[in-house]
Amino acid sequence: LQYLENNCEDPNASFALHSWFKNGGNLEIIQPFVIKHLNKNYENINTRFVFQEWLNNKGEPKIIQPFVLKYLENNCEDLTASFILGGWLKNGGNPIIIQPFVEKYLQNIQNEEHSGYVIRAWIKSKGNIEFIKPYLLIYLQKDSDSIDSQFVLSGWLKYVGDWELIKSFILQNLQINCENINSEYILIRWLEIGGERKLIEPFLIRFLSKNLLNTKVGIDSILSFWIQTN
């Protein structure tokens, strides 16, 4: 704290702030230094560590909003901007405010892992679904076979529920990954929202055959939903 009292406006102070958050430091104690640092260094690329940790530690988005917006004006096409965009959305930040930056990011970043993270966070934040649909479909056309895409698929089923829009991508993913424990989320959400049972039945059987004794999997939940929808 003594270091920050004397040096919080220094660009390198971002690393001290980042370390404070990473090690469980109190957010309220550090807030005045965060504001002072951001006011001076919001355009510095290393400031992303401060934004990320503030949001990851449930800091109020509105407190850093002006600095986040100024930073994104210059850096929203940087690959790591996904962590700020996703963190903002996951921590209750207003989706409308950063929609132009999300759009620019998804139009220009050709990295499925990072794009998927932003899309998933947008869906969970209940931002404008019509806005994100084309980016979701582009993403799934490239990456629907991956384990990571299962979280995007299950998120869509949980928060939007339109299983028919992504049906082909779900079936394609389950064809390859249905024995993976993360398939649990797709299977449960599918049954929960009334997706067509016969389409996933063979994948459900394979999943259960592989994971029936796995204590990390919610077998009871899957079987309960299966019985309820029978």
Side-chain angles (χ1 to χ4, degrees), residues 7 34 106 123 135 187 194 207 227:
N7 301 283
V34 169
L106 294 176
I123 293 168
Y135 299 109
L187 295 168
F207 176 84
I227 293 169

Side-chain angles (χ1 to χ4, degrees), residues 11 19-20 59 82 97 120 171-172 189-190 196 227:
S19 179
W20 175 273
S82 63
I97 291 173
R120 185 168 75 248
L171 298 179
Q172 184 175 334
R189 299 307 172 203
W190 181 278
E196 194 173 342
I227 293 169

Side-chain angles (χ1 to χ4, degrees), residues 139-150 153 168-177:
Y139 163 78
L140 290 174
Q141 286 165 5
K142 296 179 179 179
D143 202 45
S144 63
D145 292 351
S146 74
I147 298 296
D148 284 342
S149 71
Q150 291 189 317
L153 293 166
S168 62
F169 300 113
I170 286 177
L171 298 179
Q172 184 175 334
N173 185 286
L174 290 176
Q175 182 67 42
I176 299 169
N177 302 305

Side-chain angles (χ1 to χ4, degrees), residues 13-27:
S14 62
F15 301 110
L17 294 167
H18 176 258
S19 179
W20 175 273
F21 285 122
K22 274 291 188 183
N23 289 285
N26 184 282
L27 189 144

Side-chain angles (χ1 to χ4, degrees), residues 1-21 25-38 40-41 50 54:
L1 293 177
Q2 186 174 352
Y3 167 80
L4 289 172
E5 285 177 1
N6 298 319
N7 301 283
C8 69
E9 293 186 348
D10 189 293
N12 291 324
S14 62
F15 301 110
L17 294 167
H18 176 258
S19 179
W20 175 273
F21 285 122
N26 184 282
L27 189 144
E28 291 183 5
I29 292 175
I30 209 78
Q31 180 175 317
F33 301 120
V34 169
I35 301 304
K36 200 169 182 180
H37 177 78
L38 293 178
K40 189 78 172 180
N41 299 282
V50 181
W54 177 271

